[in-house]
Amino acid sequence: MIAPAIDPTALKGGITAGLQIDGRMLSEAWTEPAPERAPIVDFLTSRQGLTDIPDLLADLAAKGHELLCPGSMSRIGIGAATCGLAAGAGERAAVLSARHDFANHTVVRKVGCIGACFCEPLVDVRTPDGRHYLFGKVDKSGTWPIIHTAKEQRLQKGAWLVLREREPGFLTSFDDLLVEKVINHDLADFFACQRRLISGNCGLIDPENLAEYIATGGYFAAAKALLEQQPADLIAEIAASGLRGRGGGGFPTGAKWEMAAKTGSSTKIVIANADEGDPGAYMDRTLMESDPHRVLEGIMLAAYAIRVQQAHIFIRHEYPLAIRRMRHAITSARAAGLLGNNILGSDFSLEIGITTNAGAFVCGEETALLSVMEGKRGEPSRRPPYPAEAGLNGHPTVINNIETFANVPWIMTHGSARYREAGTAASPGTKIFCLTGDVSRSGFVEVPLGIGVTTVIEKIGGAPPDPIKAIQIGGPSGGIVPYGSFNLDYETMAALGGMIGSGGLVVLNNACCLVDLVQHMVGFMADESCGRCLICRDGLARLEQLLHDLTEHRGNDATVSAIEQLSHAICNLSLCGLGRSAVHPVFTTLRFFRQEYEQHARGECPAAYCSALIRLKIVPSRCTDNQICYELCPQRAIQLDPGRGPERYRFDHAQCTRCRLCLDSCPHGAIVAVSGEDT
Amino acid sequence: MTTFENGQVGEIEQVFQALAGTDRQVVNVLNTIQEHYGYLPEQSLHDVSRQFGIPLANLYGLVSFFSGLRTRPVGRNQIAVCCGTACYARGSEKVFTRLKETMQLDADGTSEDGFVTISKVPCVGACSLAPVLSVNGVLEGKIKPLQVTARLEELQRNDSPSD
């Protein structure tokens, strides 16, 4: 919430205090106005190169700074984004917030997600000396060390990592923190290779507090743009940075803005695409939940650059918390005068609205998105004209992804040259990836583009116990590529036949059946096809059926070639990106893992996953005769003979449905799945 | 949020008025109604059709397009199994099958006694906790098929059919 008017004594102490204490000092104070800025304001002003900082921002920055880096109190920040809440952050927050003994020395705040989802719930304790103690996997019993750390302001057993602010008392990004002590290497390694330009505030600031965002330099770029720069300056800076659309296409953002800015239309629109439907990707969700004002500021800068007065955020309904936080951010920004008419006294006005999608993957495609906003079914339409020329209701419309917008304030603050220091010449900057699957440290990571995939997966994600077979990258329309030493940038991925997409990175080990996974993805795309193109609607359904035949032991070599032919037809004849890219997983697996298809055609599943192609069997040497499998089997497929020992277990393969309950429940791993008829 | 009165045309106008000017799209109105009732009652669709001047047939076409909109009531509890890539690779399909086999569901995924509606959701964005279950809107991570029966029993203990 927006705090009540700021107590002026806190900000301009000398003058106002003088007024109150002694009337005679009044004239002296007024003749010599030396408004004393809070140090944080001077710091931010000099970094931004602003000549005249608006009072509104100065006041809020000082207030936010006192909240973010309290000088006399400890601050406990509990990671309360969706992933944290699912892991129990809400209960921990309730317990810690209810402590009356914190009254004078500790404040408890809910913050966003720092990205280390693998150790949620994650709690950050900041002590007044500028040290941050991070506690991972905080369970019920784990709250005591946190309480002690906050009270005694020194390291307690249970912390994972101690970080120190470069300049104690100044915290404007994750980059301001240095590792001081590593207690649990997991967390230190997770952060080691990251560059957190865009997600630097995530997990540090309270996403529902505007002042805290401003204290990190938030809205200074917007203020500078509105008060001191021309729209063309912004477009030139973004173009110079080489920023490419982070939604998947990788189209140069500056060029897109330029195209819309050039149109003569009086009404133009900016849309932030937060319909992040790619399974396995959640960077937009995390950004919106952890740092919503950065997204708003990015939208505001784009709107100013293109001279737009109306912007929309299009969010999928599966993200209720993100919707709530974005709504809250819009309300706060408007209440503070950072949205609405004549922002910061300039002649620029902007309204931002939220449209909630109701569940359709195809709406991530920009022409389909526009159809929904016009009250129609989300069916894509043919381009050109591109939305930048004729979009929502015929007006020129710039549609960018949430992450793209989140890049903009950083670029405008630090300049395009510094932005280009990260990444490659053709793919500058950093990219957020969501690292999940069979990896020990999964989470939300921001790395320079062009980084080696092995660095991301092994150094950040931690080498998994089982060998990695493949990586699924870029969502269901991305690809499945063999694990190896390639770089993560737009060009390399295109050469491999995949795409970075929105940045999902799912690590798959040998226990994963690729044919089955491809069937699942094609099935998902078939469900999500809008039905407009026959080949996409029926072709994908037929493709799923053919893949299903393989996993159900009904396929042969002809099935594999039919899959290949049909995939080419779908790719060539579909109108929009959904159909054209839906077959990417098929193409990439056929290219790199063709033998898996052929094995399925012969009735084998190398991963021992597909129910119709496997048998379960008992390994007598591991069995301890504890009967769990016998008791749990819903089919009575495991039979017990009289006597003792592993020999008395018998599998009735005809009864067994391969539900794997026995396999999952056996504490000794005495039941295994084997491929083919081998029992 | 908007308070709904009797099922008159007025309520749709109320929803419409309560939305900020930039938010007044059909899909937002439909979502708001569904948030309130759990589904879209027939009357409300007639009202939306009138308010927006969209022929009723087209509106039904729109509603059926979205997987998140329902025209029939849901159960007292709602369980959604996340079927994103990470969840699928970690066995969410088996969790779903187990749920489906445990309960007797109709074509809409609702049990006959109205106790629960079970559905799949493409991705809830909590991939690090895969496989994920959303139980009445609250996410629960790292679910194993084994735990499903106990979880349903727990829900059943807290369930009162009279509600």
Side-chain angles (χ1 to χ4, degrees), chain B residues 32-41 68 70-74 78:
Chain B
T32 313
I33 299 168
Q34 175 153 308
E35 232 167 72
H36 183 75
Y37 292 107
Y39 74 110
L40 298 166
R70 300 170 158 272
T71 49
R72 290 177 60 190
V74 282
Q78 292 192 52

Side-chain angles (χ1 to χ4, degrees), chain A residues 82-83 86 117 279-282 285 310 312 316-319 327 351-360 362-363 372-373 375-378 436-439 442 472 506 508 516-517 520-521 524 530 609 632 634 658-661 664-665, chain B residues 19-28 31 34 54 58 60-69 83-86 88-94 98 101 120-129 132 137-142 144-146:
Chain A
T82 295
C83 42
C117 306
Y282 54 95
R285 171 182 73 67
Q310 192 191 113
H312 298 270
R316 65 199 293 250
H317 79 131
E318 288 91 342
Y319 287 173
R327 252 188 228 294
E351 289 296 340
I352 301 183
I354 288 182
T355 306
T356 312
N357 193 18
V362 70
C363 298
V372 173
M373 291 192 62
K376 296 183 285 212
R377 287 165 69 98
T436 59
D438 298 307
V439 65
S442 57
Q472 204 280 323
V506 187
L508 306 166
D516 180 75
L517 185 67
H520 169 73
M521 288 176 166
F524 169 76
C530 77
Y609 183 85
L632 278 177
R658 283 78 153 177
C659 71
R660 289 177 185 245
L661 267 185
D664 290 341
S665 59
Chain B
L19 291 170
T22 41
D23 294 353
R24 288 179 186 164
Q25 283 99 27
V26 188
V27 65
N28 279 343
N31 274 320
Q34 175 153 308
I54 301 175
N58 292 10
Y60 270 98
L62 184 67
V63 169
S64 67
F65 176 80
F66 294 107
S67 60
L69 297 178
C83 290
T85 314
Y88 186 83
R90 294 213 155 182
S92 67
E93 190 66 25
K94 294 199 159 57
R98 187 98 188 117
E101 280 169 359
K120 284 185 181 180
V121 53
C123 181
V124 293
C127 313
S128 55
L129 298 164
V132 177
V138 180
L139 297 188
E140 296 175 11
K142 302 196 170 160
K144 292 204 170 78
L146 264 178

Side-chain angles (χ1 to χ4, degrees), chain A residues 156-211:
Chain A
Q156 304 287 323
K157 209 175 167 187
W160 283 27
L161 195 60
V162 185
L163 300 160
R164 182 171 53 82
E165 289 164 7
R166 274 176 217 275
E167 278 182 71
F170 285 92
L171 180 62
T172 63
S173 156
F174 186 83
D175 278 350
D176 292 343
L177 295 172
L178 291 170
V179 174
E180 186 174 275
K181 194 172 168 70
V182 176
I183 301 131
N184 181 323
H185 283 276
D186 264 359
L187 202 50
D189 293 347
F190 180 78
F191 289 123
C193 301
Q194 296 197 46
R195 282 288 318 272
R196 302 181 75 100
L197 310 184
I198 311 312
S199 59
N201 287 345
C202 297
L204 295 178
I205 64 166
D206 177 352
E208 301 201 356
N209 190 296
L210 171 67

Side-chain angles (χ1 to χ4, degrees), chain A residues 598-659:
Chain A
E598 287 161 358
Q599 281 170 306
H600 277 77
R602 288 200 300 272
E604 294 163 24
C605 175
Y609 183 85
C610 298
S611 299
L613 303 174
I614 59 159
R615 296 233 166 159
L616 299 181
K617 75 172 193 183
I618 297 174
V619 183
S621 59
R622 294 185 199 156
C623 178
T624 59
D625 191 14
N626 65 6
Q627 297 188 17
I628 285 183
C629 53
Y630 169 74
E631 276 158 27
L632 278 177
C633 180
Q635 296 293 320
R636 293 258 165 248
I638 296 176
Q639 291 159 4
L640 274 189
D641 289 336
R644 291 215 174 271
E647 300 79 30
R648 64 180 179 140
Y649 289 79
R650 275 191 299 112
F651 242 112
D652 184 345
H653 294 293
Q655 286 291 320
C656 176
T657 58
R658 283 78 153 177
C659 71

